[in-house]
Amino acid sequence: ELLGAMFSSDEDELVVERPTGGGATISVRLRPSSGGEQRRRLMEATLALELSQAYPESAAVCRLSRSRGMVGDEEAALLAALTALAAEAASSGEPCVYALVEAAIEKLTELNAGGDCPICRDDLFPRGAAPPPPTYVSACFHSFHCPLCCRRAELPGG
């Protein structure tokens, strides 16, 4: 019920499946907290939590799909953190679905706040007095410094 109040099932943000054999699979579309600024949302993913009949004594199985804007090591780190949290909760028999979703959003928000340009490897959003260079965000949420992206497109074969 709590997740239903936080996420819309109309926009496929939350899907709950309850197979006849018991347990459940809860899928939540994760987006970083960005204070309502759509242009600052550079990542998203869908978190699927598979809950067996023995949940919460049995750990939720965490899977990520439809991730956008994350590189492999960021996705792996997020999944490892969630899997560890699920195992810790199961060891004490504590329900953890809400905690897993909140931890995933928090981690996604941290990852979203920074990052490097994959072309020049400089910080996409440097902190300091000078304004950051314009950033291009592709349809798959990968981000680049605009001048570098444009220069790359102008190169033969680019």
Side-chain angles (χ1 to χ4, degrees), residues 3-124:
L3 291 176
M6 292 173 56
F7 298 95
S8 169
S9 59
D10 296 340
E11 298 176 20
D12 288 334
E13 288 184 335
L14 174 67
V15 176
V16 178
E17 299 171 359
R18 297 182 190 275
T20 55
T25 299
I26 300 170
S27 298
V28 179
R29 187 173 349 159
L30 303 171
R31 294 186 176 114
S33 299
S34 62
E37 282 191 67
Q38 283 294 106
R39 65 184 181 84
R40 292 290 295 186
R41 288 186 175 173
L42 307 177
M43 298 180 168
E44 75 176 37
T46 297
L47 172 64
L49 301 172
E50 295 176 18
L51 311 176
S52 72
Q53 285 181 308
Y55 174 81
E57 287 78 22
S58 173
V61 176
C62 305
R63 300 188 197 293
L64 289 175
S65 64
R66 294 185 266 175
S67 68
R68 294 173 32 177
M70 284 188 276
V71 293
D73 60 336
E74 291 171 330
E75 190 172 326
L78 174 58
L79 192 55
L82 296 175
T83 300
L85 181 60
E88 181 182 327
S91 70
S92 60
E94 292 291 322
C96 65
V97 170
Y98 177 76
L100 287 169
V101 171
E102 282 295 302
I105 292 171
E106 184 178 310
K107 183 70 173 167
L108 205 59
T109 300
E110 287 173 21
L111 292 170
N112 188 66
D116 296 335
C117 173
I119 298 172
C120 69
R121 305 307 293 168
D122 286 340
D123 193 1
L124 280 170

